[in-house]
Amino acid sequence: MDNLVTTMSVFPLLQCAAEEGIAVSDLLAGSQLTENLLCDHERRVPFHEECVVVSNYMRLTREPHPGLSASAHYHYNCFGVLGAALVSHPNMLEACRFLVRYVALTFTPFLVTTQEDENILRARYLDRLDLGKCREYYLLRDLAFVRNLCREANPEHWQQLVTRMDIAMPEPADSQRVYDFFAWPIRFDVDETLIETHKSALLQPLRLANPMTLELMVRQCDELLIKRQHNSWRSRVESLLLQGVMDINLIAEKFCCSERTLRRHLQREGSSFHEIALQLLQQRAIHYLKYSRLSVEVIANRLGYSETAAFDHAFKRWTGRTPTQYRMDAHG
């Protein structure tokens, strides 16, 4: 993941601070960020600097769920051309598919994947960074953005768009506020974070749909991806792997090239298909060990290992610890 984020990921916290009477100097304390810098929405800043500001906000606010309170300032227009493209789609189903393809232009620190069958669309959020105490903030903020997008794009039917939301975190003491905020069926203490919806519910026309605007915004999104160097062969391969396309021949076919040519492109970037697939596998393994209650045997099977011993050996080679040791250390 790119370790830079746009200042628009941080700027809404200035708005939260102003509303809550928190001094800007206190909010930005310990970071290298300034108010003037954050007002320049073309700038990009290190992600760890944002985490400092988030930690300060969590400490200073009186809100029980800072991610939800901050989400009041995270709307589709925070994402510039990406947000304009989202609401210009003919329906939410197409907008969701587009969002996953261009997720590199969002603020999320999570791996976001989708799975579709005939009737159901599922979006999964997997941890790819150690967010520490900020994890709940980012998780609720990003899920709340989905809720905000649904409300803005389909204000009359947004409550019917999601049929299930699983949140991989302990249920908070005041969870009723979370239930009321989302107004969707929610489960805490689950193995993975996901949003599930019936695809038919996403086919309602969007009120801001505009094919000419969409064409223009998609073109600008492509240009922005290139500008941010997210359009590398590595990122394109990673995107398809996250969508469940695991065979290199199928991936090469989607890029209209041979497997050999694809490997050569990756080699020129200093990468390889094996390295990319392995990194994603490691990230999924760490996510399940830290944030789920799945047994090591089930995790091994879910990751494609036929024997738990093989997973144990591989994980120890990656981290220097067995899966069981890693889980114990992660939980203190």
Side-chain angles (χ1 to χ4, degrees):
M1 176 182 174
D2 191 348
N3 62 355
L4 296 177
V5 294
T6 172
T7 53
M8 279 303 296
S9 181
V10 192
F11 181 76
L13 290 178
L14 289 179
Q15 298 170 291
C16 292
E19 292 174 354
E20 298 177 37
I22 299 172
V24 173
S25 58
D26 292 335
L27 181 69
L28 302 181
S31 76
Q32 300 298 312
L33 306 180
T34 65
E35 186 172 5
N36 286 339
L37 186 151
L38 293 178
C39 289
D40 180 358
H41 297 160
E42 297 298 317
R43 292 286 296 273
R44 304 182 73 208
V45 298
F47 178 70
H48 70 267
E49 294 287 343
E50 178 184 15
C51 289
V52 172
V53 179
V54 169
S55 296
N56 289 340
Y57 178 64
M58 293 174 63
R59 174 174 51 83
L60 296 168
T61 184
R62 286 175 290 185
E63 294 290 338
H65 302 293
L68 295 187
S69 56
S71 74
H73 299 285
Y74 286 89
H75 301 277
Y76 76 87
N77 53 11
C78 287
F79 294 91
V81 294
L82 177 68
L86 285 173
V87 297
S88 298
H89 275 81
N91 56 61
M92 281 295 294
L93 181 58
E94 294 302 320
C96 289
R97 290 167 174 164
F98 177 84
L99 181 59
V100 172
R101 289 199 302 273
Y102 289 83
V103 72
L105 296 181
T106 70
F107 312 146
T108 185
F110 299 99
L111 289 171
V112 182
T113 67
T114 57
Q115 174 190 359
E116 292 188 45
D117 57 30
E118 185 177 354
N119 300 310
I120 301 296
L121 172 69
R122 297 179 185 88
R124 288 182 166 85
Y125 292 71
L126 297 175
D127 295 79
R128 67 184 306 173
L129 296 173
D130 185 358
L131 300 174
K133 295 181 179 179
C134 296
R135 182 176 181 270
E136 178 181 329
Y137 168 87
Y138 282 109
L139 194 54
L140 291 181
R141 183 202 69 175
D142 287 5
L143 294 175
F145 167 71
V146 175
R147 176 258 200 188
N148 292 346
L149 178 62
C150 289
R151 288 191 65 176
E152 292 162 354
N154 198 333
E156 295 182 359
H157 304 286
W158 71 272
Q159 290 177 307
Q160 287 76 51
L161 295 182
V162 171
T163 55
R164 170 186 170 192
M165 177 182 281
D166 289 355
I167 306 179
M169 59 178 261
E171 181 166 1
D174 52 350
S175 57
Q176 190 58 48
R177 182 160 185 261
V178 182
Y179 292 124
D180 293 342
F181 178 86
F182 285 104
W184 293 329
I186 294 177
R187 297 191 307 168
F188 291 98
D189 293 303
V190 290
D191 298 323
E192 59 184 1
T193 298
L194 68 82
I195 299 174
E196 183 175 285
T197 179
H198 288 288
K199 290 162 69 172
S200 59
L202 301 179
L203 295 177
Q204 291 282 342
L206 297 186
R207 59 190 180 91
L208 297 179
N210 187 310
M212 294 182 63
T213 300
L214 177 59
E215 181 180 358
L216 176 62
M217 293 301 102
V218 170
R219 189 158 58 243
Q220 292 188 29
C221 284
D222 288 336
E223 293 171 357
L224 191 55
L225 276 176
I226 294 172
K227 181 179 178 182
R228 295 186 181 179
Q229 297 182 328
H230 279 297
N231 207 29
S232 64
W233 285 95
R234 179 190 178 97
S235 66
R236 294 165 70 186
V237 168
E238 184 180 74
S239 176
L240 288 175
L241 287 171
L242 290 174
Q243 295 175 49
V245 184
M246 307 303 293
D247 187 283
I248 188 171
N249 291 294
L250 292 178
I251 292 176
E253 184 178 319
K254 288 183 178 292
F255 297 146
C256 301
C257 67
S258 67
E259 174 196 345
R260 184 177 179 181
T261 299
L262 176 57
R263 290 188 186 278
R264 190 162 57 245
H265 284 311
L266 292 172
Q267 186 177 23
R268 286 173 183 159
E269 295 180 352
S271 185
S272 71
F273 182 80
H274 175 74
E275 176 195 341
I276 298 168
L278 182 61
Q279 184 179 54
L280 293 179
L281 188 69
Q282 292 170 356
Q283 291 169 345
R284 290 178 64 201
I286 288 172
H287 166 85
Y288 288 131
L289 289 169
K290 290 182 70 173
Y291 301 113
S292 83
R293 298 179 182 179
L294 297 174
S295 68
V296 173
E297 291 76 14
V298 171
I299 294 173
N301 182 262
R302 184 168 290 192
L303 296 178
Y305 288 90
S306 57
E307 296 183 1
T308 305
F311 173 57
D312 285 347
H313 179 74
F315 194 86
K316 188 169 184 179
R317 188 172 67 250
W318 303 336
T319 67
R321 289 171 286 179
T322 66
T324 301
Q325 290 170 334
Y326 184 91
R327 173 173 270 172
M328 291 175 62
D329 292 344
H331 294 165

